[in-house]
Amino acid sequence: MNNSEQVSESADESATDPANVPAPNPSFAPQHILVTGGAGFIGANFVHWVARNHPQVHMTVLDALTYAGKRENLDGVPAANLTFVHGNICDAELVESLLSGLNQRSAAAVPPIDAIVHFAAESHNDNSILDASPFLNTNVTGTYVLLEAARRHDIRFHHISTDEVYGDLALDEPRKFTEDSPYKPSSPYSASKAASDHLIRAWHRTYGVKATISNCSNNYGPYQHVEKFIPRQITNILAGIRPKLYGTGSAVRDWISVEDHCTAVWAILTHGRIGDTYLVGANGEMSNIDVLRMILECMGQPSDAFDHVNDRPGGDKRYAIDATKITRELGWRPRFTDFAEGLDETIQWYREHEDWWRPDKDATEAKYRLQGH
Ligand code: NAD
Ligand code: DAU
């Protein structure tokens, strides 16, 4: 198992994609990707991006449509690019049927699945503190089920992971996370993601699964659930609720636009070195209180119009990504580095999509009240 087993990409494809400057590694041109969790925030953005930029690629989205997934997130993706399957990644029979092509609605027109891009996860730290069990099922067992299927069918596997597997950094140290940082997860969520990363590495080393991993920092953009920091504050203001800041708001996150995350995933899927891990970030470090003040200003609110609420138990202080490896090896660079502009566009998206977020708002806030958040 090595890179040379992968098929070549046609020259014109990478030339039209600004994210894919020529890379040193042999390339892979997926024809049909199984996108797990494709109805969630990042997965849906990825499906839209691939359909726009690589329309020759078919995608089968496998999504359980948990509270975090919506089928309508994929509205607008051309039918020719998409097969949607409502199902669970822990369902080994279903996964096997998809990889065997048995479940394909138009088998004649669609090539067999040749890659898995694995976004599906329970993704929210606060939920994992209330109840870790769905995190262990989906993030650990689900990843195991997919790896076994990828192993049987000898197909390419890209695993979407998080910088949180490395724990946190002190606020005042110059150090950032690199691919060599030790694993030190803090929450049940990040521990379950760390476990899934270890499974990927073991299945690559032991069975030769053609896997890569990306560990990305905090994403922002359209389709993000209202439980997450930025959408929660925006929709609070729109709903007449005061924004809620955990603790003093001194914790730092390294923000990246979701579209930049998507182009990084594509660069790794198509040019990444098999068996390798790539950190993805856009030098977007900012404290929570500064982000909240930007939202307040952008939405015409006084700078003190928010409440301090309980901090997250065990909450991580700071994340910061050193993205040198993906930049040097794959030529990937973030394009959307003006955070103020990106935040403005995100606020505009939530203003224009109240129908999308409103149904989730009350239940989300009720859950937060129980946690003192
Ligand atoms: P999300 O919670 O918005 O979406 C998760 C999706 O997975 C949903 O559509 C949900 O229905 C689906 N899903 C959950 N359990 C499933 C199961 N058992 N079977 C099939 N589908 C299931 O999450 P997100 O923020 O889009 O994150 C996607 C991935 O990216 C996750 O693996 C997460 O760990 C990782 N990640 C997220 C961020 C971020 O800032 N949001 C940053 C780095 C990495
Ligand atoms: O770093 C990548 C990770 O980023 C991903 O792996 C996770 O899936 C994703 O949810 C995100 O995790 P965080 O815990 O960093 O994101 P969250 O939006 O939950 O919180 C960001 C920061 O804001 C954190 O310090 C807690 C704080 N916070 C959060 C909420 C919901 C608040 O101050 N107020 C809030 O209302």
Side-chain angles (χ1 to χ4, degrees):
M1 193 270 336
N2 59 40
N3 275 332
S4 62
E5 294 171 12
Q6 299 181 15
V7 295
S8 299
E9 184 183 57
S10 61
D12 61 331
E13 188 186 34
S14 57
T16 56
D17 181 357
N20 289 340
V21 301
N25 300 325
S27 59
F28 166 61
Q31 297 185 53
H32 183 173
I33 306 172
L34 177 64
V35 182
T36 71
F41 164 46
I42 307 173
N45 276 283
F46 179 78
V47 171
H48 282 282
W49 184 88
V50 173
R52 274 197 313 275
N53 292 279
H54 301 280
Q56 75 285 6
V57 174
H58 192 82
M59 288 170 282
T60 290
V61 167
L62 172 60
D63 199 297
L65 299 180
T66 67
Y67 79 96
K70 291 185 200 292
R71 175 64 181 86
E72 74 211 59
N73 290 354
L74 298 170
D75 286 355
V77 176
N81 288 106
L82 182 66
T83 304
F84 182 81
V85 178
H86 182 193
N88 199 308
I89 57 168
C90 298
D91 182 343
E93 263 181 48
L94 173 61
V95 171
E96 176 57 28
S97 74
L98 293 175
L99 293 196
S100 315
L102 300 178
N103 220 347
Q104 197 47 254
R105 94 183 122 84
S106 49
V110 178
I113 289 170
D114 53 5
I116 297 175
V117 177
H118 176 32
F119 293 95
E122 286 292 336
S123 67
H124 193 42
N125 278 295
D126 292 318
N127 292 343
S128 78
I129 294 167
L130 282 180
D131 179 9
S133 89
F135 289 75
L136 297 175
N137 288 334
T138 290
N139 301 0
V140 184
T141 305
T143 301
Y144 157 72
V145 166
L146 294 169
L147 275 169
E148 282 290 89
R151 173 188 167 200
R152 277 193 303 276
H153 291 269
D154 190 27
I155 61 172
R156 181 78 173 83
F157 192 119
H158 180 68
H159 178 57
I160 311 294
S161 192
T162 168
D163 56 359
E164 295 194 15
V165 299
Y166 303 118
D168 62 359
L169 300 161
L171 292 179
D172 57 356
E173 66 178 296
R175 201 164 55 95
K176 296 185 173 197
F177 296 135
T178 71
E179 287 77 6
D180 297 323
S181 295
Y183 274 61
K184 203 163 60 72
S186 311
S187 73
Y189 161 69
S190 43
S192 69
K193 292 297 291 189
S196 67
D197 289 10
H198 292 317
L199 294 181
I200 303 288
R201 289 174 182 189
W203 261 244
H204 165 65
R205 177 163 172 152
T206 304
Y207 304 115
V209 171
K210 295 179 285 203
T212 43
I213 302 175
S214 51
N215 297 82
C216 187
S217 59
N218 286 63
N219 288 215
Y220 69 89
Y223 302 111
Q224 188 168 31
H225 195 275
V226 292
E227 69 192 355
K228 303 296 190 327
F229 178 59
I230 289 178
R232 185 183 185 202
Q233 313 314 333
I234 297 170
T235 56
N236 272 7
I237 294 169
L238 293 175
I241 304 168
R242 279 166 73 85
K244 310 290 180 210
L245 189 67
Y246 291 7
T248 62
S250 63
V252 168
R253 295 294 182 265
D254 190 353
W255 294 99
I256 180 171
S257 110
V258 65
E259 183 164 338
D260 281 333
H261 187 183
C262 293
T263 61
V265 168
W266 183 261
I268 299 166
L269 177 68
T270 55
H271 291 97
R273 207 181 297 279
I274 298 303
D276 271 19
T277 289
Y278 296 85
L279 262 55
V280 179
N283 290 320
E285 277 189 75
M286 201 160 321
S287 70
N288 294 339
I289 191 160
D290 285 346
V291 173
L292 178 54
R293 288 205 177 110
M294 287 174 79
I295 295 171
L296 289 164
E297 189 184 340
C298 214
M299 297 184 74
Q301 302 290 307
S303 62
D304 60 352
F306 64 89
D307 297 330
H308 288 278
V309 294
N310 288 348
D311 210 343
R312 181 179 282 161
D316 283 333
K317 273 289 160 210
R318 171 175 163 246
Y319 307 138
I321 293 274
D322 176 348
T324 304
K325 177 177 174 180
I326 185 169
T327 305
R328 284 220 183 115
E329 291 194 9
L330 305 186
W332 173 86
R333 271 182 191 75
R335 292 177 59 211
F336 304 97
T337 47
D338 184 338
F339 181 68
E341 193 184 342
L343 194 57
D344 205 25
E345 285 170 11
T346 304
I347 290 169
Q348 198 51 33
W349 191 88
Y350 283 89
R351 278 192 200 284
E352 288 167 5
H353 292 83
E354 182 166 347
D355 288 356
W356 182 88
W357 58 263
R358 186 57 87 165
D360 299 321
K361 188 66 185 166
D362 288 350
T364 303
E365 289 305 309
K367 202 194 262 182
Y368 274 134
R369 274 194 295 278
L370 289 176
Q371 288 177 286
H373 294 322

